């Protein structure tokens, strides 16, 4: 079921979404076309919610991949890594 040798994320669709680079906006929070963000320091995935009328973006944690269903965040693992 492996789709590539050095995959960074759970599935090809997630990989494709996170590889998106907007030619107009400098950050994911500015671009309404970027809906997902991965923070490598926190090892957490976020869903970006854009309010274009207010020019505002908020984010919420993603616990499971919306395409393959894999668990993306494990609080116990993070706690163990921090200790």
């Amino acid at each position: 079921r492996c789709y590539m040798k050095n995959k960074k994320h759970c599935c090809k669709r997630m990989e494709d979404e996170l590889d998106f680079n907007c030619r107009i906006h400098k950050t994911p929070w500015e671009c309404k076309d970027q809906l997902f963000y991965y923070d490598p320091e926190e090892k957490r995935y976020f869903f970006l919610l854009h309010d274009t009328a207010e020019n505002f973006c908020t984010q919420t944690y993603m616990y499971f991949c919306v395409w393959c269903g894999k668990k993306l965040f494990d609080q116990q693992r993070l706690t163990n890594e921090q200790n």
Side-chain angles (χ1 to χ4, degrees), residues 42-43 72-82:
E42 287 189 34
K43 298 180 182 175
L72 299 174
F73 179 74
D74 185 351
Q75 180 66 44
Q76 184 64 39
R77 187 193 85 226
L78 184 62
T79 302
N80 291 340
E81 287 177 2
Q82 291 174 344

Side-chain angles (χ1 to χ4, degrees), residues 37-52:
Y37 173 73
Y38 176 70
D39 185 333
E41 291 180 19
E42 287 189 34
K43 298 180 182 175
R44 296 197 75 164
Y45 293 82
F46 297 92
F47 179 63
L48 304 178
L49 304 165
H50 298 274
D51 183 344
T52 55

Side-chain angles (χ1 to χ4, degrees), residues 4 25-26 28 42-43 49 54 64 66 73 80:
M4 55 196 238
H25 302 97
K26 294 181 182 179
E42 287 189 34
K43 298 180 182 175
L49 304 165
E54 297 292 325
F64 296 91
V66 296
F73 179 74
N80 291 340

Side-chain angles (χ1 to χ4, degrees), residues 14-64:
M14 180 66 84
E15 191 81 31
D16 291 345
E17 290 292 330
L18 293 171
D19 281 344
F20 174 80
N21 287 311
C22 181
R23 295 178 183 177
I24 300 168
H25 302 97
K26 294 181 182 179
T27 70
W29 296 272
E30 295 175 81
C31 180
K32 65 180 175 80
D33 294 325
Q34 184 140 4
L35 300 177
F36 302 96
Y37 173 73
Y38 176 70
D39 185 333
E41 291 180 19
E42 287 189 34
K43 298 180 182 175
R44 296 197 75 164
Y45 293 82
F46 297 92
F47 179 63
L48 304 178
L49 304 165
H50 298 274
D51 183 344
T52 55
E54 297 292 325
N55 198 22
F56 178 77
C57 179
T58 190
Q59 63 189 26
T60 186
Y61 294 122
M62 291 177 61
Y63 293 94
F64 296 91

